[in-house]
Amino acid sequence: MDESRRGSIIKTLQRRWNQQSLVAYLILSFAVTCVASTIVIELFDAPFFIVPVVLITVLVLLFFGVVRKFTEQDVALFLNRAFPEFEESSHLLLKPYDSLNLLERLQVSKVESRMVATYPTPAVVKRKLKTAFILLTAGVLLSVGLLTLPAESFQKISKAGLVGNSINPGKRETKPAEVTDAKVIIDPPAYTGKSTREQDRFNVVAEQDAMITWNIATTTRVKEVQLIFNDKVVLHLQPVDKGFTKWSGRRQVKSAGFYQVKIANSLSELYQVEMIKDQPPVIIVQAPQPNTVIEYGQPQKVLINVALTDDYGIENTFINATTASGSGEAVKFKEQQIPFANFSAGNKQYQLQKQVDLAALGMQPGDELYFYVNARDNYRQEKRSDVYIVRMEDTTQLMSMEGLVNGVDLKPEFFRSQRQIIIETEQLLKDRDTISVESFNKKSSDLGVDQKLLRLRYGKFLGEENETEIGGDHEHDEAGNTDGANAGNADKILDQYSHKHDNAEDATFFDAKTKKQLLATLSEMWKAELQLRTLKPKAALPFEYKALRLLKNLQQQTRAYVGKTGSKTTPLKPEIRLTGDLAKVEQPVVEQQFEQKADPVTTLRKALGILELARSKETLQRTSIEILEQASMLLSTKAASEPSNYLASLEALKRILKKNYKASDVNLAGSAFQKMIRSVSAIPQQSKASPDMKLSQRYFLNLKRQND
């Protein structure tokens, strides 16, 4: 066979399968386009020329993302698997004839003699065509169903979350018949960094303090065009031409709400105004901890790590630090602001760090640092973090004798023994170079014995009567209590909850917090004793100080400072003192007027009952219409603050008041009333009677019964 004709059947099959696959993807594109175009047109009121745009977009996405072309190797592989007579040799037709050996040429001749021009279509191609036809049929049916649905159904779908919870300015709306063209220009404030945008719809989503300009063109000459906001505020639009057919007006967005366009005596439907409120900065102090103690021997520095975020940008931030020094009434405060070195204004996110040198702030041992982080965004909103405390331990205060003259306290306080051990340890370290090694080791060991005796002395407060109980496990073995063998043992269960005075852990007079701190003190004493007995007094000194601090805190907790302010009194007049002149002194008269306010819940409940009458098409009385008008005012106030939730219900209630409504309007208004009733909380009401009126009435009733 001629080499130019070799493999022509494989190429023909390849071309045919690719064409069928492309047809399947075209059908799939039409199906997706039908559904997507229908949703966009119905929900967003888009023009019909959006259909080719959607079709082209879908075709491009499917072609580059999904479409896969069949290669000649795919065709050869299919023939090898589907037809055994080719003996797995179809791919040899794709190789140049000169590159084949003798056996391969013989095999090629055999395959060519058995190959025909017609072969069945692979299952994968058939499956694509079948799926595409099914999806096209389903898409056409779904599109027809969506087109036949009323507009209210799409509004419900939008509120349910298909379009989103926020107000969408592109949702379906009806313009007044007198309006030929409308342009709404939204000019965001400068701090947001957003540019001016323009839309041809009345529903508005704007940033806080944004300036909105309405440009409205009418079909004929009109006398006046107004915008009525929240049924209260009226904005009069000004004519911009001599024919009184073009009107313009501006208003700044201060809050969310709704408005109507009034042309002459006709009112439009309700349009929504959603305000995107500027959020204050978010401050997260990642380091240090809310209450940090600088222990003895630690660096007198603290690292402040802060994360800041804001929706539009942060203008300034700093650390407000207050140092407190002194004690008693001699406490002094010093406040200062510490800036961040790596801060540059205008960004939305920051990760700031500042290492504060406590010595540079003038702090001494015993002083405290109170600081918080302050941030101000581009809208001039300020936010501050919680107050964090950094405390420097004062070893001198621990060594003082203050507090020994206090009265008897339930909590243990034997500070002198621990203080004496610290003094002798420091003296031993000073004398290290002047005494012999044997003497140094002996004194260190003796101090370890003193620490042991002191530890045993404090152990008695926890019921540890001998050395063998110290350092034992003070927690119950919960794992043993869950053993299946002891599940029905009453003694084991009772042992968990009984208070036994012969138990070292339970035989105490202290609460759990005090007992926990005493256990921590014994642990520090044990560590100090270990270092002293191993002839390391320098390593034992931090544990001794910590044990002393824990003991001190058992009696004297964290101090709290209260800023004192002076009081100014009115100066006395010597000429009228002691005269007894009461001419200008009037007897105080207290008058109170109580007015019973209408209960909104009662009004809403009555309105629900009237809606049931309206559902059955009964004629409403004048009193019923008045109650519905009162409920309409309550619903209008609610719609002004939450237009996305209550605006459609307000429109339905207005149609009911105009007696031009459907059953769906009654359902919308009723659901809004139910939601408002659930959201109203119990509010204390003023009473006309004095506070003791009921008590007096009860007293006289009981007195009357006794006389009878």
Side-chain angles (χ1 to χ4, degrees):
M1 182 181 290
D2 188 4
E3 185 175 356
S4 60
R5 299 177 58 187
R6 295 180 62 251
S8 60
I9 296 178
I10 293 181
K11 293 181 180 180
T12 302
L13 293 175
Q14 176 194 4
R15 183 167 55 254
R16 185 195 308 167
W17 296 353
N18 284 331
Q19 291 173 356
Q20 293 174 348
S21 179
L22 183 59
V23 170
Y25 284 115
L26 286 175
I27 297 174
L28 180 61
S29 301
F30 280 113
V32 176
T33 303
C34 287
V35 179
S37 301
T38 304
I39 293 176
V40 172
I41 291 173
E42 288 296 322
L43 288 181
F44 304 105
D45 198 17
F48 281 95
F49 69 79
I50 196 69
V51 176
V53 176
V54 175
L55 177 59
I56 295 174
T57 304
V58 173
L59 286 174
V60 172
L61 293 177
L62 289 177
F63 184 78
F64 288 101
V66 182
V67 174
R68 175 182 175 272
K69 294 183 178 181
F70 290 97
T71 62
E72 295 177 350
Q73 287 76 12
D74 295 334
V75 178
L77 181 61
F78 169 75
L79 295 176
N80 289 336
R81 292 180 178 178
F83 301 98
E85 59 269 19
F86 294 148
E87 299 178 354
E88 300 287 340
S89 303
S90 298
H91 60 281
L92 296 177
L93 299 176
L94 303 177
K95 295 183 179 181
Y97 190 78
D98 297 338
S99 63
L100 301 177
N101 55 34
L102 179 59
L103 292 178
E104 289 177 340
R105 291 179 181 180
L106 293 175
Q107 189 69 13
V108 165
S109 300
K110 185 186 299 185
V111 171
E112 288 177 345
S113 62
R114 297 177 181 178
M115 187 168 291
V116 295
T118 57
Y119 284 100
T121 305
V124 62
V125 179
K126 291 181 179 179
R127 188 164 52 250
K128 288 181 181 180
L129 289 170
K130 182 179 179 181
T131 305
F133 278 112
I134 293 175
L135 291 178
L136 178 60
T137 304
V140 171
L141 295 176
L142 181 60
S143 300
V144 173
L146 292 177
L147 289 173
T148 56
L149 286 178
E152 292 79 2
S153 301
F154 286 97
Q155 293 178 0
K156 292 179 181 179
I157 294 174
S158 175
K159 291 177 183 179
L162 182 62
V163 184
N165 293 329
S166 62
I167 304 171
N168 193 337
K171 81 181 210 53
R172 167 169 288 198
E173 64 183 31
T174 304
K175 295 181 180 179
E178 298 85 352
V179 176
T180 58
D181 187 26
K183 297 294 182 184
V184 180
I185 302 174
I186 303 173
D187 188 12
Y191 74 88
T192 62
K194 295 184 177 181
S195 59
T196 303
R197 57 186 183 273
E198 181 179 321
Q199 64 183 38
D200 57 355
R201 305 182 182 279
F202 285 108
N203 290 291
V204 177
V205 176
E207 294 78 9
Q208 187 175 3
D209 290 345
M211 185 63 68
I212 304 178
T213 304
W214 286 268
N215 296 323
I216 299 176
T218 59
T219 55
T220 59
R221 177 189 179 97
V222 294
K223 295 182 179 180
E224 188 178 23
V225 178
Q226 298 175 351
L227 301 180
I228 304 175
F229 293 89
N230 302 333
D231 292 336
K232 299 176 182 178
V233 182
V234 178
L235 174 63
H236 297 273
L237 273 63
Q238 302 298 323
V240 295
D241 64 339
K242 296 181 180 180
F244 292 91
T245 58
K246 295 182 179 180
W247 302 78
S248 179
R250 305 183 68 190
R251 177 181 171 85
Q252 193 175 26
V253 177
K254 292 293 185 181
S255 61
F258 60 91
Y259 72 99
Q260 290 176 285
V261 180
K262 183 179 181 181
I263 301 176
N265 294 325
S266 63
L267 280 173
S268 69
E269 67 176 24
L270 299 178
Y271 302 115
Q272 303 176 4
V273 177
E274 181 184 7
M275 182 189 69
I276 304 176
K277 189 176 181 180
D278 185 271
Q279 301 297 326
V282 178
I283 305 173
I284 302 177
V285 180
Q286 299 172 342
Q289 296 297 324
N291 200 325
T292 304
V293 178
I294 305 298
E295 299 284 356
Y296 171 78
Q298 293 182 352
Q300 297 182 358
K301 295 181 180 180
V302 59
L303 179 63
I304 301 177
N305 193 0
V306 183
L308 303 177
T309 56
D310 188 70
D311 46 2
Y312 294 117
I314 297 177
E315 183 183 61
N316 188 24
T317 182
F318 59 87
I319 302 172
N320 189 292
T322 302
T323 57
S325 59
S327 60
E329 296 186 358
V331 178
K332 297 180 180 180
F333 295 94
K334 182 180 178 182
E335 185 175 356
Q336 53 186 313
Q337 295 182 359
I338 304 174
F340 289 98
N342 56 338
F343 175 79
S344 58
N347 297 332
K348 297 181 180 180
Q349 295 183 352
Y350 293 90
Q351 189 69 39
L352 305 176
Q353 290 185 348
K354 181 68 176 181
Q355 188 169 16
V356 180
D357 190 352
L358 303 182
L361 296 179
M363 294 183 62
Q364 301 292 332
D367 295 349
E368 295 177 349
L369 171 66
Y370 306 89
F371 76 89
Y372 62 86
V373 179
N374 186 288
R376 184 174 66 246
D377 62 4
N378 295 337
Y379 191 60
R380 312 291 294 180
Q381 292 187 111
E382 291 194 5
K383 183 73 175 294
R384 51 179 288 182
S385 66
D386 296 334
V387 178
Y388 288 73
I389 303 175
V390 179
R391 184 181 298 105
M392 294 179 61
E393 278 300 327
D394 185 9
T395 56
T396 305
Q397 185 69 21
L398 290 176
M399 301 300 295
S400 66
M401 302 295 292
E402 182 181 0
L404 292 180
V405 296
N406 292 342
V408 178
D409 196 344
L410 179 63
K411 298 178 180 179
E413 187 179 8
F414 296 98
F415 297 115
R416 187 173 184 178
S417 298
Q418 185 64 31
R419 186 183 301 107
Q420 188 64 36
I421 292 175
I422 295 175
I423 294 174
E424 294 181 3
T425 303
E426 292 179 342
Q427 186 64 38
L428 178 61
L429 293 175
K430 293 179 181 179
D431 299 340
R432 184 170 191 171
D433 297 333
T434 60
I435 61 178
S436 62
V437 177
E438 292 78 5
S439 179
F440 177 84
N441 294 341
K442 183 177 183 303
K443 289 185 177 181
S444 178
S445 180
D446 292 342
L447 287 174
V449 174
D450 294 339
Q451 186 68 78
K452 170 190 173 182
L453 296 176
L454 183 62
R455 177 172 53 79
L456 292 174
R457 185 179 184 182
Y458 278 104
K460 293 181 180 180
F461 288 99
L462 294 177
E464 296 175 341
E465 301 295 341
N466 52 66
E467 185 179 359
T468 59
E469 296 177 351
I470 296 180
D473 187 9
H474 294 278
E475 297 182 359
H476 294 290
D477 185 7
E478 298 181 359
N481 295 332
T482 59
D483 189 6
N486 299 326
N489 194 334
D491 295 336
K492 291 289 184 180
I493 299 176
L494 185 63
D495 184 64
Q496 301 179 37
Y497 304 100
S498 60
H499 184 84
K500 301 179 179 180
H501 293 279
D502 57 347
N503 189 353
E505 182 181 357
D506 294 335
T508 62
F509 297 98
F510 310 116
D511 55 86
K513 184 178 179 181
T514 304
K515 187 161 53 176
K516 183 178 180 180
Q517 192 165 351
L518 273 174
L519 288 172
T521 305
L522 293 181
S523 178
E524 297 301 324
M525 290 183 177
W526 187 282
K527 296 175 183 177
E529 177 189 348
L530 175 63
Q531 301 298 330
L532 291 172
R533 285 178 173 265
T534 55
L535 311 179
K536 299 176 182 178
K538 186 176 182 180
L541 203 56
F543 300 112
E544 295 174 359
Y545 270 113
K546 191 170 183 180
L548 180 59
R549 179 173 63 83
L550 291 173
L551 290 173
K552 189 93 171 178
N553 289 341
L554 283 173
Q555 180 195 26
Q556 182 180 1
Q557 300 298 326
T558 304
R559 59 185 178 182
Y561 300 110
V562 180
K564 296 184 177 180
T565 58
S567 60
K568 295 182 180 180
T569 58
T570 305
L572 300 177
K573 296 182 179 181
E575 61 273 12
I576 63 173
R577 290 191 64 192
L578 305 178
T579 59
D581 185 8
L582 302 178
K584 296 183 179 180
V585 178
E586 298 179 356
Q587 184 69 21
V589 178
V590 180
E591 294 183 359
Q592 295 182 350
Q593 294 181 355
F594 299 98
E595 181 180 357
Q596 187 69 24
K597 297 182 179 179
D599 187 8
V601 177
T602 304
T603 303
L604 294 174
R605 288 175 177 170
K606 291 180 179 179
L608 282 174
I610 297 172
L611 288 179
E612 293 299 325
L613 297 177
R615 189 190 304 275
S616 59
K617 300 296 182 178
E618 295 186 14
T619 304
L620 301 181
Q621 302 295 328
R622 181 59 186 172
T623 55
S624 300
I625 296 177
E626 291 178 355
I627 293 175
L628 285 182
E629 289 177 349
Q630 295 175 7
S632 177
M633 296 176 60
L634 297 174
L635 186 57
S636 176
T637 304
K638 199 71 174 178
S641 59
E642 302 179 36
S644 60
N645 296 328
Y646 295 98
L647 193 55
S649 301
L650 181 59
E651 290 179 337
L653 185 58
K654 287 182 179 294
R655 288 192 291 269
I656 294 174
L657 291 173
K658 294 179 181 178
K659 300 180 181 180
N660 183 17
Y661 61 92
K662 301 178 181 178
S664 59
D665 296 333
V666 178
N667 295 332
L668 275 175
S671 61
F673 290 160
Q674 293 285 359
K675 192 184 300 183
M676 292 172 63
I677 291 174
R678 289 194 297 267
S679 63
V680 174
S681 58
I683 302 176
Q685 298 290 334
Q686 293 180 344
S687 175
K688 293 183 178 180
S690 59
D692 66 333
M693 182 60 67
K694 293 183 178 180
L695 182 62
S696 302
Q697 291 178 354
R698 207 175 295 168
Y699 170 75
F700 284 114
L701 288 174
N702 293 333
L703 185 62
K704 185 178 179 180
R705 288 197 196 97
Q706 292 179 1
N707 293 333
D708 293 343

